[in-house]
Structure formats: C-alpha cells, structure tokens
Amino acid sequence: MPELPEVETVRRGLAPAMEGFVITRAEVNRPDLRWPFPENMVERLTGKRVLRLRRRSKYILGDLDSGETALIHLGMSGRMLVSGDPLGQFVHNHPAPEKHDHVVLHMENGARITFNDPRRFGAMDLFPTEAGESHPLLASIGPEPLGNSFDETYLVGALAHRNTPMKSALLDQKTVAGLGNIYVCEALFRSKIHPTRPARKVSKARISGLVPVIRGVLSDAIEAGGSSLRDFRQADGELGYFQHSFDVYGREGEPCRSEGCTSTIRRIVQSGRSTFYCPTCQR
Ligand SMILES: [Zn+2]
C-alpha cells in the first residue's frame, strides 16, 4: 500500500511528463474504481492543460486550465506508469495495454500516463479548483507533516487530552495527514515513545520532539524514493514503490538497532494493524 513518501515519489515522477502539458486524449476503460468516476470524465480531461501537480496527504492533485482539479488516489494496489519520451528522460517504449490499465492519459509531449490498479481500491475524481479542500476526501485531513502548520505547538495541542494510544493518535488523519502505519512505527521508535502509551501521558517535551522525527522519517523515505526515480527511468516506467530499510517495521524478532540495546523487536496488533517496537528503548 503506497504511503505518503511513495505518493510523493509518484508525483515527482509524473510532474516532468505532465506539468505544463495538454492531455490530448483520455482513455477511461471502466466506469469506476472504488467509486464511480465523475460524469463525463473523458471530456473534462481531454484538451485540458495540467497547470501543476500537487500532493495533499496521499492524494495527487492535478490543477487543470479548465478550473477543475483532478484527484488521484492509488488505493491499495494502484500504480502509475509513464512511457514515451517527452523530455528525453523516459527511455522505455509504450508497453502493451494490460488488463488493469483503467485510465490512460495521452499527453501532447508524447508521454503516456497509465493508471493500473488490479484491486481497484484507487479513485479518481474531478472538482472545482476553487473549492479548495472542501472535497469530502480532503475536508477533514489534518496538517501536512512536512508543511509549516505542523509544528510543536500544534502537535502538543492536538495530543494533549487524548486518551488513545500514541500509535492510534498518530495514525488518525485529523492529527497529521498521511502518516501511515510504517512511518508511525518508525517515528515512535526514533522518539523512544511506547506505541501503547496514552497520548495525554506523554510529556510536552517528548511530543515536541516527535515533530522533527516525523519530518525526518518521511524525508529519509522520500530521499530513497528519489533514488528509485533515477532507477525507474531506466527500468519499466513504474513509479512509486521502492526498497527502503526500516528500523522496526517488519523486523519482529530481529535485534534492536539502538546502540547498547540487546532487545529484539516485538510485534503487537493495535486496531487491527501490526505495530513494531523495541520493548526496552520505547517507554
Ligand atoms: Zn532497543
């Protein structure tokens, strides 16, 4: 499942092929993914110039010169592929169409953007750009973890009276946007905060310390994604999934990497999802 750094990597990979260019033809091969596509999606995309490609939480937002914004969500298994050679940096040819190529955008520069999603939990929508974040999928999302409004004062205030475990509080999209299971585990490990500790029982100093840590784990992953982007141009054109090593995530039973710690990483289940942590380092 793509998390924020993967989505940001996809956005960065798509931008050179899409930003500033007209969608000359849109192919929509089915009526829906997770939800029905918006009415007349083909007509509303065709002939429109992509002014810029943004990201909000795990959504990619393409502002069009028609005054509408295209929203793309990769869901569980969505993939974006870029083929063609718009700027001399995508060396792969157009692949043969595959079964799950649900939306294909043909760009004026020769690039072809393919949204493939075997499990169809992804989504696409169109809404007026001026509606800003009133779109139902965006309306209740908290601040971007890499943005300016996510700071120490904000996070202390957001967690101060919450009785929920730290893990759940940070997974809550209203607390912070798009911080998924993996990066919550990693951030709590780096902060030495136990994932089951109720948020209101964690000191302000430790909560404050989480802000740079959260930014750090995401930035590290986005950097790893950047390396994968350089590789993808020589590979198969698929964006967004890359190898990245984690300190605790997926490391149950393996030795803790903190200096001097002899514990092994444990896994518990919280709200139906795996949590990985060090029982010695995290309190
Ligand atoms: Zn440890």
Side-chain angles (χ1 to χ4, degrees), residues 10 13-18 21-22 24-25 27 79-98 101 103-116 229 232-239:
V10 170
L14 292 176
M18 295 184 76
F21 297 109
V22 170
T24 48
R25 191 160 67 89
E27 274 178 52
R79 302 182 301 148
M80 300 297 288
L81 294 105
V82 179
S83 58
D85 189 20
L87 301 168
Q89 46 183 308
F90 304 108
V91 295
H92 24 267
N93 298 321
H94 295 309
E98 286 183 33
D101 289 351
V103 178
V104 184
L105 303 177
H106 300 263
M107 306 301 297
E108 63 173 330
N109 55 21
R112 188 182 292 176
I113 314 297
T114 302
F115 186 4
N116 178 292
L229 272 188
F232 112 87
R233 287 178 184 136
Q234 281 85 45
D236 59 0
E238 178 175 338
L239 290 169

Side-chain angles (χ1 to χ4, degrees), residues 6-163:
E6 285 83 9
V7 176
E8 176 60 20
T9 301
V10 170
R11 189 197 66 77
R12 291 182 183 189
L14 292 176
M18 295 184 76
E19 271 186 341
F21 297 109
V22 170
I23 302 166
T24 48
R25 191 160 67 89
E27 274 178 52
V28 178
N29 297 325
R30 53 175 299 116
D32 57 14
L33 284 174
R34 182 168 192 172
W35 300 292
F37 286 136
E39 269 179 41
N40 305 320
M41 187 163 85
V42 169
E43 291 77 10
R44 288 160 75 183
L45 290 172
T46 301
K48 309 304 183 294
R49 189 179 298 277
V50 180
L51 300 176
R52 69 180 181 139
L53 219 51
R54 304 178 278 135
R55 180 188 55 75
R56 177 73 170 110
S57 185
K58 297 182 197 174
Y59 301 98
I60 294 170
L61 302 173
D63 297 332
L64 308 175
D65 65 355
S66 58
E68 290 199 296
T69 293
L71 174 150
I72 299 171
H73 183 46
L74 298 173
M76 305 282 287
S77 59
R79 302 182 301 148
M80 300 297 288
L81 294 105
V82 179
S83 58
D85 189 20
L87 301 168
Q89 46 183 308
F90 304 108
V91 295
H92 24 267
N93 298 321
H94 295 309
E98 286 183 33
K99 190 177 171 200
H100 303 290
D101 289 351
H102 305 308
V103 178
V104 184
L105 303 177
H106 300 263
M107 306 301 297
E108 63 173 330
N109 55 21
R112 188 182 292 176
I113 314 297
T114 302
F115 186 4
N116 178 292
D117 185 6
R119 294 179 64 187
R120 303 204 301 261
F121 279 105
M124 256 189 97
D125 201 3
L126 284 159
F127 64 95
T129 306
E130 63 175 21
E133 301 201 338
S134 60
H135 188 282
L137 291 172
L138 307 176
S140 59
I141 299 177
E144 282 294 315
L146 297 171
N148 292 334
S149 53
F150 182 71
D151 61 13
E152 286 79 359
T153 310
Y154 166 78
L155 193 61
V156 167
L159 299 181
H161 306 292
R162 308 230 357 221
N163 207 22

Side-chain angles (χ1 to χ4, degrees), residues 196-218:
T196 64
R197 180 175 285 273
R200 64 180 175 81
K201 291 194 172 170
V202 181
S203 72
K204 285 181 184 175
R206 297 179 83 199
I207 298 281
S208 296
L210 257 174
V211 171
V213 164
I214 287 171
R215 291 180 189 270
V217 294
L218 292 173

